């Protein structure tokens, strides 16, 4: 019997029902898997934030997708040609009848892939000039405040504090961060930016900005130290306005932050030694310099005193210096009385001769002449004042007329300018009313926003149970979205994923 006749009584499936059955079969049979392969066809994130590419080996290829929420949490971002190990869930895409893997975690396949990725990233950042020696800053000789970015529970912070206490105690601000694992790179970069954003002298709430930053971590494998090879950390270190010391791993460990930092320390303890000098050695140097300064001052004083004694021997005695002037003073004092009397007599005789030549007639004549001169000058002065007053009055009248004309012109210009600006404001108001979305609402439409007030333009942006804010022409109402029957949503990240994403974006607390 033909196969078609034997299946006449078999149940019928619609295309959608068959696709859904295949989807459930694949997801139930495999669940989460780990796949090793080479990334192919990766062209960056889509405009929606999701990534679409393929994983392949020499014999086969499987389609892959990374949702936007999962991509944000990944330490390693996908790159074309990189061999990776992907962890995710197998599913199907009914729209094109193919199966795919929804990747939730991504890691390079082995140390070789990590080294290749690190070298490629190093060349890229070096080409941007982030590793140039010309942009590196000098370390402060004796910083007042030292900022340390590290884990608060490890031995690194204890070694740094102990070494600083031994050499030169300074104020230390610890910004606690994760130094490996998911979200550690974001926390380290945020700590560097946070130290740079502190006020220079501090205030009642925030501590002062440190004069030096130490980014430290103990030794580990390349995977353990990978957070310090992330671009976000390297760029934060290069952009730091505060001098920065990189003390990541042991002396043989090399990370990209070492090239961007202003100074690299082989160990965290060595970073503390670079940060401050030895206080006891400084005290000894100061004491030695003080003794040398005092001895030099004493030698200088002795030399000055010897020069003074030598100069004093060459000087004559004070009695010999004032003897001759004293004798001259005595002679002048003895002849002073006689000279005063003679001088007074000579002046008396001269005044008597002049008084004899004067008479009343001469005095009257001189007085009359002076009165005539003063009268003539008075008449000329009065005429000049009257003429000057007339001229100034005429000029003031002319200036008043000019001022009145200018005032009228200014008033006309002001009225014309006000009319133009009023007309422009009215036209602007008409345009504003024409372009306002409230005119659209008045025609019977509504504006839908999410809980944060952002407009929602497509139905795909709305999830079940999502709180909505709907604005009509006469007011707003709240609503909650429901999934229409018969419409299947693409699964989104779990609440645990959203929680980790929200928790991983902070900068931590000051310790």
């Amino acid at each position: 019997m033909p196969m078609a006749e034997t299946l006449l009584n078999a149940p019928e499936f619609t295309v959608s029902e068959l696709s859904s059955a295949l989807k459930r079969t694949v997801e139930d049979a495999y669940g989460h898997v780990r796949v090793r392969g080479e990334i192919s066809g990766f062209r960056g994130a889509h405009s929606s934030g999701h990534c679409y590419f393929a994983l392949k080996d020499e014999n086969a290829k499987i389609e892959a997708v990374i949702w936007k929420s999962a991509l944000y949490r990944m330490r390693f971002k996908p790159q074309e040609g990189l061999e990776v190990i992907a962890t995710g869930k197998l599913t199907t895409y009914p729209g094109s009848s193919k199966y795919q893997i929804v990747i939730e975690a991504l890691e390079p396949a082995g140390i070789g892939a990590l080294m290749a990725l690190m070298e490629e990233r190093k060349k890229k950042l070096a080409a941007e000039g982030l590793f140039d020696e010309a942009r590196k800053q000098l370390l402060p000789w004796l910083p007042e405040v030292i900022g340390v970015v590290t884990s608060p529970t490890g031995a690194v912070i204890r070694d740094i504090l102990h070494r600083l206490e031994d050499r030169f105690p300074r104020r230390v601000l610890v910004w606690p961060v994760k130094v490996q694992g998911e979200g550690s790179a974001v926390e380290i970069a945020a700590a560097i930016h946070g130290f740079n954003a502190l006020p220079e002298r501090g205030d009642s709430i925030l501590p002062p900005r440190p004069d030096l930053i130490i980014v430290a971590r103990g030794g580990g494998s390349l995977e353990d130290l990978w957070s310090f090879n992330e671009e976000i950390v390297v760029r934060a270190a290069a952009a730091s306005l505060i001098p920065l010391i990189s003390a990541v791993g042991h002396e043989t460990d090399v990370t990209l932050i070492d090239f961007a930092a202003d100074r690299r320390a082989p160990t965290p303890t060595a970073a503390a030694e670079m940060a401050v000098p030895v206080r006891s050695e400084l005290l000894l140097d100061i004491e030695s310099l003080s003794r040398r300064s005092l001895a030099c001052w004493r030698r200088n004083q002795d030399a000055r005193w010897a020069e003074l004694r030598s100069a004093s021997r060459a000087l004559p005695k004070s009695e010999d210096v004032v003897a001759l002037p004293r004798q001259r003073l005595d002679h002048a004092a003895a002849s002073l009385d006689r000279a005063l009397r003679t001088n007074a007599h000579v002046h008396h005789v001269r005044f008597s001769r002049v008084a004899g030549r004067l008479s009343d007639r001469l005095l009257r004549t001189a007085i009359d002449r002076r009165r005539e001169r003063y009268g003539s000058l008075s008449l000329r002065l009065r005429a000049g004042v009257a003429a000057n007053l007339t001229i100034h009055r005429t000029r003031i009248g002319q200036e008043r007329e000019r001022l009145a004309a200018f005032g009228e012109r200014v008033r006309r210009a002001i009225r014309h300018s006000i009319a133009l600006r009023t007309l422009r404001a009215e036209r602007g108001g008409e345009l504003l009313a024409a372009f306002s979305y409230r005119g659209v609402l008045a025609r019977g439409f509504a504006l839908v926003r999410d809980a944060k007030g952002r407009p929602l333009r497509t139905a795909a942006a709305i999830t079940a149970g999502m709180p909505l804010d709907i604005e009509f022409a006469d007011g707003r109402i709240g609503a909650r979205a429901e999934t229409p029957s018969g419409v299947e949503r693409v699964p989104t990240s779990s609440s645990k994923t959203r929680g980790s994403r929200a928790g991983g974006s902070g900068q931590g607390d000051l310790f």
Side-chain angles (χ1 to χ4, degrees):
M1 183 180 294
M3 181 61 66
E5 296 180 2
T6 60
L7 297 178
L8 287 176
N9 296 325
E12 295 180 354
F13 291 96
T14 65
V15 176
S16 298
E17 290 173 346
L18 184 58
S19 298
S20 299
L22 291 173
K23 178 182 178 67
R24 289 192 297 271
T25 301
V26 172
E27 292 178 352
D28 294 342
Y30 290 95
H32 284 80
V33 295
R34 284 169 57 86
V35 180
R36 183 185 185 120
E38 179 184 334
I39 295 178
S40 175
F42 179 73
R43 298 295 180 268
H46 192 265
S47 59
S48 62
H50 311 312
C51 295
Y52 302 96
F53 53 92
L55 294 176
K56 69 176 184 179
D57 56 16
E58 61 275 9
N59 297 320
K61 181 174 73 172
I62 181 173
E63 299 296 327
V65 59
I66 302 178
W67 302 128
K68 178 181 179 180
S69 57
L71 180 66
Y72 176 79
R73 300 191 310 271
M74 288 183 178
R75 292 172 53 198
F76 300 99
K77 308 302 180 183
Q79 294 187 12
E80 177 68 19
L82 182 65
E83 186 178 5
V84 296
I85 299 176
T87 303
K89 186 176 181 180
L90 281 181
T91 184
T92 64
Y93 179 57
S96 59
S97 298
K98 64 182 180 181
Y99 66 94
Q100 62 185 10
I101 177 172
V102 179
I103 299 175
E104 299 176 358
L106 199 66
E107 57 185 289
I111 299 297
L114 283 178
M115 293 300 297
L117 180 59
M118 179 177 173
E119 286 299 322
E120 180 180 354
R121 188 172 294 172
K122 179 181 177 182
K123 292 178 181 178
K124 173 187 174 182
L125 297 177
E128 296 181 16
L130 298 185
F131 301 157
D132 292 346
E133 290 294 331
R135 53 156 298 278
K136 296 184 182 297
Q137 307 176 76
L138 296 177
L139 302 183
W141 183 72
L142 185 59
E144 290 292 332
V145 182
I146 300 175
V148 180
V149 179
T150 188
S151 172
T153 58
V156 171
I157 184 61
R158 292 194 296 271
D159 293 342
I160 293 176
L161 294 177
H162 179 71
R163 197 57 177 161
L164 291 176
E165 185 70 23
D166 289 343
R167 291 175 66 86
F168 205 121
R170 297 280 84 184
R171 183 178 180 183
V172 178
L173 297 179
V174 179
W175 197 300
V177 296
K178 293 193 300 183
V179 293
Q180 71 180 69
E182 182 178 335
S184 58
V186 177
E187 291 189 12
I188 295 169
I192 297 174
H193 291 310
F195 272 136
N196 280 269
L198 290 176
E200 185 174 357
R201 299 187 180 277
D203 51 33
S204 58
I205 299 176
L206 297 175
R209 182 192 307 166
D211 303 310
L212 179 68
I213 297 176
I214 299 177
V215 180
R217 189 207 186 280
S221 63
L222 183 59
E223 292 86 349
D224 295 336
L225 304 179
W226 189 255
S227 298
F228 299 91
N229 293 320
E230 295 289 354
E231 279 194 39
I232 186 174
V233 175
V234 178
R235 294 186 185 276
S240 175
L241 299 178
I242 304 174
L244 187 142
I245 299 177
S246 169
V248 179
H250 299 302
E251 187 172 0
T252 57
D253 297 325
V254 178
T255 57
L256 295 183
I257 193 177
D258 296 333
F259 300 98
D262 298 300
R263 186 73 66 84
R264 176 186 180 268
T267 61
T269 303
E273 294 176 356
M274 291 180 182
V276 294
V278 181
R279 184 172 183 271
S280 58
E281 294 180 358
L282 290 179
L283 292 176
L284 292 176
D285 292 342
I286 292 174
E287 184 179 357
S288 175
L289 291 174
S290 176
R291 289 195 303 268
R292 292 173 59 187
S293 177
L294 181 60
C296 182
W297 178 81
R298 286 177 177 173
R299 288 194 302 270
N300 190 31
Q301 290 299 106
D302 293 340
R304 296 289 183 182
W305 182 247
E307 292 176 0
L308 180 61
R309 287 198 302 268
S310 299
S312 64
R313 295 192 188 99
L315 292 175
K317 295 182 179 180
S318 58
E319 292 80 1
D320 299 338
V321 173
V322 301
L324 185 59
R326 183 182 295 170
Q327 187 177 1
R328 291 175 181 173
L329 180 61
D330 293 339
H331 286 292
S335 60
L336 180 61
D337 186 35
R338 184 173 64 254
L340 288 175
R341 291 175 182 176
T342 303
N343 188 39
H345 178 70
V346 171
H347 282 82
H348 179 69
V349 172
R350 186 181 299 172
F351 289 152
S352 298
R353 291 175 182 175
V354 172
R357 289 183 296 179
L358 294 177
S359 63
D360 294 339
R361 185 177 180 180
L362 292 176
L363 289 173
R364 291 192 190 99
T365 303
I367 291 172
D368 292 339
R369 288 178 180 175
R370 290 183 181 275
R371 283 178 180 175
E372 291 177 359
R373 291 180 60 191
Y374 290 153
S376 176
L377 291 175
S378 176
L379 291 175
R380 292 171 59 187
L381 180 61
R382 288 176 183 175
V385 169
N388 192 22
L389 182 60
T390 302
I391 292 173
H392 280 286
R393 284 177 179 174
T394 304
R395 185 176 299 173
I396 290 173
Q398 294 175 354
E399 294 296 331
R400 284 179 178 175
E401 293 177 359
R402 292 180 60 192
L403 183 60
F406 281 132
E408 182 62 28
R409 291 172 61 186
V410 169
R411 284 191 291 272
R412 288 199 303 269
I414 290 175
R415 287 195 297 270
H416 180 67
S417 178
I418 291 175
L420 289 178
R421 292 181 182 275
T422 303
L423 180 60
R424 189 180 301 171
E426 292 175 354
R427 291 179 180 176
E430 294 174 358
L431 288 176
L432 181 61
F435 289 122
S436 175
Y437 74 95
R438 297 188 180 278
V440 180
L441 297 182
R443 295 200 297 271
F445 292 92
L447 177 60
V448 181
R449 297 186 178 92
D450 59 10
K452 296 183 179 179
R454 296 176 296 193
L456 301 174
R457 296 180 176 84
T458 60
I462 303 176
T463 59
M466 180 179 181
L468 304 175
D469 179 27
I470 305 177
E471 181 178 356
F472 297 93
D474 56 348
R476 293 184 176 185
I477 64 170
R480 188 171 297 276
E482 293 184 359
T483 304
S485 59
V487 178
E488 182 176 355
R489 296 284 183 176
V490 179
T492 59
S493 58
S494 63
S495 59
K496 178 178 179 182
T497 303
R498 292 195 297 270
S500 63
R501 175 183 177 184
S505 61
Q507 294 182 348
D509 298 327
L510 293 176
F511 179 66

